[in-house]
Amino acid sequence: MSYQLLGKHSQAFEKSSSLPFGELPSLSSLNGPTYVTAQLLVQQVAYALSDKIFTYSPETFDLDVALKQWRSQNECNIFGDIAGVSAMQTRAGAGSIALGYMFSKDFDLSKRHVPQSIIASSASLQHLRPQLDQLSLLYSVANPVVAHIAAVDYAAGSSSSLVSDYVSSLALAEDLGMALISSTSPHEIQHMSLLATLLATTMPAMHVYDGVHIGRETTRVVDVLDRSGLSENYNAVLKATSGVEKKHVDNEGKVLRLFQALNEELGTDYKLFEYHGHPEAETVVVVFGSVEAMLATKIVTELAKDGERIGVMNVRVYRPFVEEAFVETLPKTTQAVVVLGQSNQQHDNSDALGHSRLYTDVLAATSFSPDLNNSLLVKDIRYSVEEVWTPAKMLGYLRHASTNIDLHEYVGSHPSLDALNNSTKQYTFWDLDDSIAALAPRSLGQLLSLDSASNVSMRSGYDNLVQGGTTRTDLRSSSRSIEASYSIAAADVTYVGEEKLLGEFDVLSGTKDESTLVLRLPGVKDEDLEKKLPVALRKGVTTKKIQLFILDPLLSNKVSEDRTLELLLTQLAFLKIARPELLEADRKKLATSIGSLPEVLDAGAAEVEKTLRKIELPESWSTLEPEVESFSLPADINVNSFSEFEKNEEEPPSYLKTWETVAKGFVFKEAYGTKNDLRPDLGTKTAIVHVKEHRRLTPMTYDRNIFHIEFDLGDSGLKYDIGEALGIHAENNKHEVEEFVKWYGLNPDEVVEVPSREDPSVLENRTVYQALMQNVDIFGRPPKRFYEALSEFADKDTEKQQLLALGIGANQEAVVEFKRRAEVDTITYADILLEFPSAHPSFHDIVRLVAPMKRREYSIASSQKVQPDSVSLLIVTVGWVDPQGRDRFGQATRYLDALPVGAPVTVSIKPSVMKLPSRTEAPLIMAGLGTGLAPFRAFVQERAWQKQQGMPVGDVLLYMGSRHQREEYLYGEEWEAYQDAGIITLLGRAFSRDQPQKVYIQDRMRQTMDDVRKAYLHEHGSFYLCGPTWPVPDVTNVLEEAIAIDAKASGKRVDSRKEIEKLKDDLRYVLEVY
């Protein structure tokens, strides 16, 4: 039986997120109530009304994917011709071909009245500007030209990467005298595209719309005009506005006539400036932009119902800016006009950065109007292009505009936000973008859209920087029209398809109380959930009374046999929880709607009963253990792509050579570019040091081996600074290497050329034995691609198939098996070569397939001013026993622990962020856990030396944490000696297991809050934390409390979190955690 589900999606263009449900409809099918994206409708209008369309679309933006397809199908425009589509590169001179086409000698003058269109992103405008400038000067003899601009660009260094940039369009329209019209939703974008094209018959025009959210949202538009409808309305409006008496008016008058004529034809009520809110508003907020206008309108409408005297003005036409129409639209009761203007700058409302462009026009319109009183206040609130809008964010800006509350201090909700969600069912899907089930929300959206009484919207985003590619899809369903181009904040059902995402995102922040969470956890039993689920998530599901379901596809034999069935399984599991009534409907109709067969659907429904289970939540989950509390995770993905991440990994070329070539290199050095070097790691300067001291700091009976090791620098010339790390170029275990050489049948003395462990592009001459000791990580953990690559060498079919299955994750059993090998059995490269003897690559191939060894870095625990001829480290050995009973060790710590006094070691220096303040009198507040105390030993030594030299030194507060004082009081005698000498002024020791009540470093800090405030805030000290990550939130909370207490004592209001960010920027809040 075949389990093919979505064969419809095989063609490349059908996967585009700019198309409705990822599929491209025919041009003729766009008519009446239909599911579309705004980007699709822009292309439809451009194709129908243009002679030629010039597109400037980055490959993954897909701004022109429909245009190209319609052109290949020889579709005609309303003039009876096949429209031309020219996909251009975005670069300097990008618009020259478009300009040259219109003014070429071969241009058909009979088409001079036919519009030409440009489809581009706001990122292209800087490259198109010179040609658009020339076009504006020659417009009286040019074709009508309209540019449809998707407001989307990459913003360097932003948190979201892809941003909605309106600033570029506003600047271009103002500087070049172009008309500029905006769309606020997919429901009106076809009309605005038509209007912009009509306006282009009198002046060069731009039509701008949000290209990140609204442009790519699949939604239902009930009144889509087909090609003939566009033709009728286009010609009717042209006729109504082209009389002789109507030509001799200015541009403002022409725009007003166009709006009037278009409204008469369409039965609409579009205006240049559109007001919503309280009829007697005292504060009016002026906005420009798609999501901005849509959100502000929705929220203000709800606020006005509660009697709040606030309104919002959407600027639909920015150029020409008809001042009389703006003033006329303002309520007579207006006392303050607040402009919400986009800026390229970061959030900063000081006058030092000037004003937004929109503010300048509003100020001019209100200042010189005789109909407004002179006391009218006009204020500019700027926001960055990087702002990601949510209802709560917009409400905060509106509150700031109407009450002047500090924007960054506003935290709260309002019934207006709930009103946006009450009538809509909302579903959120989180998954890896290469997951088979990642297509599930698209298919489910198509299924829900079959109900003509419902409206469905769907939008997907991609974050290619998390887990190799993460996607989030929001799906909404409502009996009403949906306008919600922002992330769901109150989902009824949330699905998470990958366990690792629970550690990357706060998935519960977007869930409704008493909603449902579905987690795909293959092979996880109920008794293991507490280990698998983050503590914050366990507490969150109990606090919000969320129903928790586990979907385990491994419990289905059919899924194990055919992975494609998991897509159907996910869809049916979702329907069982969210829309059970659909499962009871006509099975044949349901099977057809999701691209399956009825018998497959029946089989899938039976598998759901096996694989989906509800979890009864233990009461203990409502308690959050502080020692494992997680970071504050982001609530949403950072949309930095419109498509899944391409994971094609090209294998680097091999430069391996035989000993004959190596010999030639030694003899003919000039010809072969041979250099003699200690270690030819060109990117890293290495040195040889010798073990001077090796001293265990914990008792022999204690289960943790923590030791102090000191190296004699000798004549190595090695120099290091405070806070830097020492790179240890460890070697593999001699006995294990000899065993591997013996059973693999290698000649240990053969000379070969292999990639350097530091830089694979640099080659080193080694014997096979040396290469295995120093270069090849043969006892490291292999990735999936090693299994896949090794399968090519297997002679036995069974081994070849098993290796390939593990390498590509051929089925769920293979996926689980690989995970077990990597995380439980900790299998090494050598183990695999031993396990699969028919796969026997040559040593040259081994070097190509196995990763090079990497240096391991450890924080230096000494100051060279105190120890000029040595360097110290504080090390904890890493060791465990695997399920087979074999002792396993961390390669570098095992190597260091085995070194005798006098042994040579190759080392290098790595810079660090752990730097002392430039002022010696600046206090130090240090918090270290376990071996995280290493850099602070160096800090204290340095301060002692500074004091000995007669320099003024600040206070030193050292907070240290470990389990037991008796076993882990690392460098305890030294700390107490430094305290007696007056170097350490406060020693906060937190031994968590030495008393019934656990005590952590954050508790010691809170107990000495006055000392922390004095050193950190009053005397401008610096704070450092080194060690594991888990205490970061708690320790940071203490510092935020100190800031808040100090501010309150001085009568100030500050945002503690914002102050911490400033301290980070000033290098006064430094973390080195792992």
Side-chain angles (χ1 to χ4, degrees):
M1 181 180 294
S2 171
Y3 297 116
Q4 181 63 32
L5 301 176
L6 292 171
K8 302 183 288 186
H9 296 283
S10 61
Q11 298 183 46
F13 69 84
E14 292 178 334
K15 297 181 180 179
S16 172
S17 63
S18 70
L19 298 173
F21 299 118
E23 295 186 357
L24 175 60
S26 64
L27 187 59
S28 59
S29 68
L30 297 178
N31 179 32
T34 186
Y35 280 89
V36 295
T37 62
Q39 190 61 47
L40 180 70
L41 290 179
V42 168
Q43 294 174 81
Q44 181 222 19
V45 173
Y47 194 91
L49 302 182
S50 303
D51 165 50
K52 198 172 184 71
I53 305 107
F54 298 89
T55 67
Y56 302 86
S57 173
E59 184 177 354
T60 59
F61 283 20
D62 286 343
L63 303 180
D64 55 1
V65 62
L67 290 171
K68 294 175 181 177
Q69 186 69 11
W70 295 332
R71 174 63 182 83
S72 70
Q73 296 169 349
N74 294 327
E75 294 281 2
C76 292
N77 58 24
I78 67 170
F79 306 102
D81 300 318
I82 299 173
V85 178
S86 296
M88 314 300 295
Q89 292 183 346
T90 299
R91 54 181 175 79
S96 298
I97 293 180
L99 197 65
Y101 170 75
M102 285 184 286
F103 292 104
S104 69
K105 295 179 180 179
D106 299 328
F107 184 80
D108 185 354
L109 295 179
S110 65
K111 295 183 178 180
R112 185 58 81 192
H113 67 291
V114 180
Q116 311 292 337
S117 293
I118 293 173
I119 302 281
S121 70
S122 52
S124 306
L125 290 180
Q126 59 175 321
H127 302 291
L128 293 171
R129 182 184 179 110
Q131 287 72 39
L132 292 176
D133 191 8
Q134 294 181 51
L135 177 65
S136 297
L137 298 174
L138 301 172
Y139 205 67
S140 61
V141 293
N143 288 66
V145 177
V146 58
H148 299 284
I149 305 300
V152 54
D153 194 2
Y154 288 102
S158 77
S159 60
S160 57
S161 293
L162 284 170
V163 298
S164 300
D165 169 27
Y166 295 106
V167 176
S168 299
S169 299
L170 293 170
L172 199 68
E174 180 177 352
D175 296 345
L176 303 187
M178 298 181 69
L180 180 58
I181 299 174
S182 71
S183 291
T184 62
S185 77
H187 300 276
E188 66 178 35
I189 200 164
Q190 188 187 42
H191 296 167
M192 291 302 103
S193 299
L194 172 60
L195 178 64
T197 308
L198 288 163
L199 186 55
T201 61
T202 64
M203 59 188 301
M206 276 194 296
H207 166 223
V208 67
Y209 53 94
D210 175 80
V212 179
H213 309 285
I214 284 180
R216 316 186 83 83
E217 175 189 357
T218 296
T219 192
R220 188 187 190 206
V221 178
V222 298
D223 55 354
V224 174
L225 298 171
D226 62 9
R227 188 165 27 191
S228 62
L230 287 171
S231 177
E232 292 172 8
N233 285 280
Y234 177 79
N235 289 319
V237 174
L238 272 185
K239 182 177 180 181
T241 57
S242 61
V244 175
E245 75 283 357
K246 298 173 183 177
K247 289 185 176 181
H248 300 289
V249 294
D250 57 15
N251 287 334
E252 288 82 356
K254 293 177 182 178
V255 171
L256 290 170
R257 290 183 185 277
L258 275 174
F259 266 79
Q260 180 182 355
L262 187 70
N263 284 329
E264 290 175 356
E265 288 297 324
L266 298 175
T268 53
D269 189 29
Y270 295 122
K271 298 175 182 177
L272 279 69
F273 304 97
E274 295 177 346
Y275 177 80
H276 301 273
H278 199 286
E280 296 181 348
E282 295 179 351
T283 301
V284 175
V285 180
V286 181
V287 297
F288 181 91
S290 304
V291 179
E292 293 87 332
M294 179 268 295
L295 265 179
T297 298
K298 281 178 171 289
I299 295 175
V300 163
T301 300
E302 296 299 325
L303 294 177
K305 291 178 182 178
D306 295 338
E308 294 198 35
R309 300 181 69 178
I310 186 173
V312 63
M313 179 95 74
N314 170 34
V315 178
R316 184 176 294 284
V317 179
Y318 175 70
R319 282 291 182 274
F321 196 95
V322 184
E323 297 181 356
E324 296 81 0
F326 178 85
V327 172
E328 183 181 338
T329 308
L330 279 175
K332 303 300 181 184
T333 53
T334 304
Q335 298 178 13
V337 176
V338 181
V339 178
L340 192 57
Q342 192 181 74
S343 168
N344 281 325
Q345 303 289 341
Q346 294 290 334
H347 297 285
D348 189 337
N349 290 313
S350 65
D351 291 336
L353 294 175
H355 295 288
S356 65
R357 290 181 179 270
L358 185 58
Y359 170 81
T360 305
D361 289 286
V362 171
L363 182 63
T366 55
S367 298
F368 301 105
S369 173
D371 299 327
L372 299 175
N373 61 65
N374 295 330
S375 62
L376 182 70
L377 173 67
V378 181
K379 182 181 178 181
D380 190 20
I381 299 179
R382 291 187 301 282
Y383 65 93
S384 169
V385 295
E386 300 172 16
E387 191 73 78
V388 178
W389 289 106
T390 63
K393 184 73 67 66
M394 178 57 73
L395 180 60
Y397 272 93
L398 294 173
R399 283 281 183 254
H400 179 50
S402 60
T403 64
N404 211 33
I405 188 173
D406 190 313
L407 178 62
H408 301 289
E409 290 186 6
Y410 177 79
V411 178
S413 185
H414 190 275
S416 64
L417 301 185
D418 298 329
L420 303 185
N421 302 320
N422 288 341
S423 63
T424 303
K425 290 294 183 182
Q426 303 184 99
Y427 315 111
T428 299
F429 299 79
W430 302 78
D431 215 333
L432 300 183
D433 61 18
D434 59 357
S435 165
I436 289 179
L439 289 174
R442 178 185 299 175
S443 301
L444 290 166
Q446 290 175 302
L447 171 63
L448 298 177
S449 71
L450 296 178
D451 182 3
S452 59
S454 295
N455 294 282
V456 175
S457 73
M458 187 197 78
R459 181 169 60 87
S460 297
Y462 296 87
D463 188 339
N464 289 344
L465 302 180
V466 174
Q467 293 295 332
T470 299
T471 181
R472 169 178 171 163
T473 299
D474 285 349
L475 192 62
R476 293 177 168 97
S477 177
S478 175
S479 58
R480 301 179 181 180
S481 177
I482 300 175
E483 292 188 31
S485 296
Y486 48 84
S487 294
I488 289 175
D492 295 281
V493 179
T494 302
Y495 168 83
V496 182
E498 170 55 50
E499 174 194 339
K500 293 179 180 178
L501 297 181
L502 300 176
E504 299 283 357
F505 300 101
D506 180 7
V507 297
L508 294 186
S509 65
T511 60
K512 183 184 295 185
D513 287 356
E514 301 182 7
S515 62
T516 301
L517 174 64
V518 183
L519 301 180
R520 177 186 173 275
L521 296 175
V524 176
K525 299 179 181 179
D526 289 359
E527 56 266 28
D528 297 328
L529 282 177
E530 192 156 334
K531 299 177 182 178
K532 288 290 183 181
L533 302 184
V535 176
L537 185 133
R538 301 203 306 268
K539 181 178 181 181
V541 294
T542 55
T543 302
K544 301 184 79 170
K545 299 180 180 179
I546 291 174
Q547 294 188 75
L548 177 62
F549 286 82
I550 301 300
L551 180 63
D552 186 352
L554 294 185
L555 297 178
S556 167
N557 292 330
K558 287 185 170 60
V559 170
S560 298
E561 295 169 2
D562 189 340
R563 291 186 65 201
T564 60
L565 186 58
E566 187 172 340
L567 174 56
L568 177 61
L569 185 72
T570 303
Q571 295 168 354
L572 295 178
F574 170 84
L575 292 174
K576 179 179 175 63
I577 291 172
R579 302 294 294 268
E581 73 278 5
L582 294 179
L583 283 179
E584 305 303 322
D586 183 349
R587 284 295 176 93
K588 184 175 181 180
K589 180 180 178 181
L590 179 61
T592 303
S593 67
I594 60 176
S596 186
L597 300 173
E599 57 267 31
V600 176
L601 183 64
D602 291 336
E607 297 304 299
V608 169
E609 299 301 323
K610 301 177 184 177
T611 57
L612 183 68
R613 66 184 188 273
K614 184 178 180 180
I615 302 299
E616 296 299 326
L617 305 181
E619 292 185 6
S620 60
W621 282 17
S622 60
T623 303
L624 185 66
E625 301 92 332
E627 68 172 308
V628 292
E629 186 173 356
S630 63
F631 283 107
S632 177
L633 298 172
D636 201 356
I637 64 172
N638 295 327
V639 179
N640 48 48
S641 179
F642 293 131
S643 63
E644 65 183 56
F645 181 55
E646 292 290 339
K647 301 179 178 64
N648 296 328
E649 298 181 5
E650 293 188 5
E651 197 171 286
S654 173
Y655 296 100
L656 302 180
K657 300 176 182 179
T658 62
W659 68 268
E660 291 93 339
T661 305
V662 176
K664 291 177 183 178
F666 283 123
V667 176
F668 306 106
K669 293 184 178 181
E670 292 79 5
Y672 282 80
T674 305
K675 293 169 59 179
N676 293 325
D677 203 347
L678 170 65
R679 290 289 308 270
D681 306 329
L682 302 183
T684 306
K685 184 178 180 180
T686 57
I688 297 292
V689 298
H690 294 80
V691 178
K692 180 179 181 180
E693 180 185 7
H694 184 294
R695 171 167 47 98
R696 178 163 176 153
L697 302 182
T698 54
M700 293 296 295
T701 56
Y702 192 50
D703 60 356
R704 302 185 76 205
N705 174 16
I706 304 177
F707 61 93
H708 167 90
I709 188 167
E710 188 170 332
F711 301 100
D712 185 355
L713 302 183
D715 58 358
S716 66
L718 187 73
K719 301 294 182 184
Y720 61 92
D721 291 327
I722 287 294
E724 291 186 327
L726 189 69
I728 299 295
H729 299 249
E731 297 180 357
N732 278 320
N733 180 266
K734 179 181 178 181
H735 174 71
E736 290 181 349
V737 168
E738 290 173 349
E739 285 293 314
F740 178 80
V741 167
K742 182 178 180 180
W743 67 255
Y744 202 76
L746 297 173
N747 177 4
D749 298 322
E750 182 181 0
V751 179
V752 290
E753 195 171 59
V754 296
S756 163
R757 63 190 293 172
E758 298 304 321
D759 184 353
S761 65
V762 176
L763 302 176
E764 299 179 330
N765 296 319
R766 289 283 189 272
T767 64
V768 167
Y769 178 79
Q770 289 174 325
L772 288 171
M773 286 291 293
Q774 300 178 345
N775 294 76
V776 184
D777 195 16
I778 196 69
F779 304 112
R781 299 185 188 182
K784 284 184 178 181
R785 60 178 178 271
F786 177 74
Y787 289 87
E788 182 181 3
L790 189 62
S791 69
E792 298 293 329
F793 297 91
D795 294 331
K796 291 184 178 180
D797 287 341
T798 54
E799 292 189 1
K800 180 185 289 290
Q801 293 303 320
Q802 187 178 354
L803 284 166
L804 186 61
L806 289 167
I808 66 174
N811 50 50
Q812 285 299 326
E813 183 180 354
V815 172
V816 173
E817 172 65 10
F818 174 80
K819 189 173 184 179
R820 180 187 63 78
R821 286 168 166 267
E823 299 178 7
V824 180
D825 295 344
T826 57
I827 296 294
T828 68
Y829 290 100
D831 292 332
I832 298 173
L833 291 169
L834 179 62
E835 180 183 357
F836 299 94
S838 79
H840 198 87
S842 68
F843 186 72
H844 286 188
D845 287 316
I846 287 178
V847 174
R848 180 173 59 86
L849 298 176
V850 176
M853 293 171 64
K854 300 293 184 182
R855 66 175 179 173
R856 300 297 191 271
E857 286 127 6
Y858 301 93
S859 296
I860 293 175
S862 59
S863 165
Q864 198 162 22
K865 292 186 177 69
V866 177
Q867 298 179 199
D869 301 321
S870 65
V871 59
S872 301
L873 299 179
L874 179 61
I875 306 294
V876 58
T877 57
V878 179
W880 67 97
V881 179
D882 71 10
Q884 283 73 43
R886 297 175 297 184
D887 290 326
R888 298 290 201 181
F889 304 94
Q891 187 243 7
T893 57
R894 179 191 193 184
Y895 166 75
L896 287 171
D897 192 38
L899 290 173
V901 172
V905 181
T906 302
V907 300
S908 58
I909 298 295
K910 181 187 178 184
S912 169
V913 295
M914 302 286 281
K915 300 294 183 185
L916 281 174
S918 56
R919 295 185 307 111
T920 60
E921 60 266 38
L924 306 179
I925 306 103
M926 304 174 293
L929 280 80
T931 55
L933 286 168
F936 302 141
R937 181 174 184 262
F939 279 19
V940 173
Q941 284 186 358
E942 185 82 1
R943 274 292 163 93
W945 178 85
Q946 291 171 345
K947 186 173 182 180
Q948 187 181 44
Q949 303 304 308
M951 302 179 191
V953 295
D955 288 347
V956 174
L957 285 65
L958 175 62
Y959 298 92
M960 58 177 298
S962 62
R963 298 176 185 175
H964 304 284
Q965 180 172 359
R966 180 177 177 180
E967 286 84 5
E968 286 188 66
Y969 190 20
L970 308 177
Y971 297 129
E973 294 180 356
E974 289 188 30
W975 304 134
E976 293 175 4
Y978 281 122
Q979 187 176 31
D980 292 341
I983 305 301
I984 295 178
T985 51
L986 188 154
L987 185 58
R989 292 165 289 195
F991 301 104
S992 60
R993 311 294 171 86
D994 280 354
Q995 59 282 314
Q997 180 68 33
K998 292 182 179 180
V999 177
Y1000 300 99
I1001 54 173
Q1002 61 266 25
D1003 300 316
R1004 295 298 186 217
M1005 291 176 65
R1006 194 170 276 112
Q1007 291 167 3
T1008 55
M1009 181 67 77
D1010 290 342
D1011 298 286
V1012 173
R1013 287 172 54 198
K1014 175 176 176 288
Y1016 198 29
L1017 304 175
H1018 301 171
E1019 299 177 1
H1020 305 288
S1022 295
F1023 173 79
Y1024 305 87
L1025 173 65
C1026 186
T1029 58
W1030 65 259
V1032 171
D1034 293 312
V1035 170
T1036 304
N1037 286 341
V1038 176
L1039 297 179
E1040 290 175 354
E1041 288 175 23
I1043 293 170
I1045 294 171
D1046 208 62
K1048 185 176 181 180
S1050 58
K1052 299 178 182 178
R1053 295 180 62 187
V1054 298
D1055 184 334
S1056 297
R1057 294 185 179 181
K1058 190 175 180 181
E1059 290 301 311
I1060 290 291
E1061 293 301 319
K1062 291 180 180 177
L1063 290 164
K1064 286 182 183 178
D1065 294 339
D1066 295 338
L1067 300 182
R1068 292 180 55 206
Y1069 175 93
V1070 181
L1071 306 180
E1072 190 169 275
V1073 293
Y1074 39 83

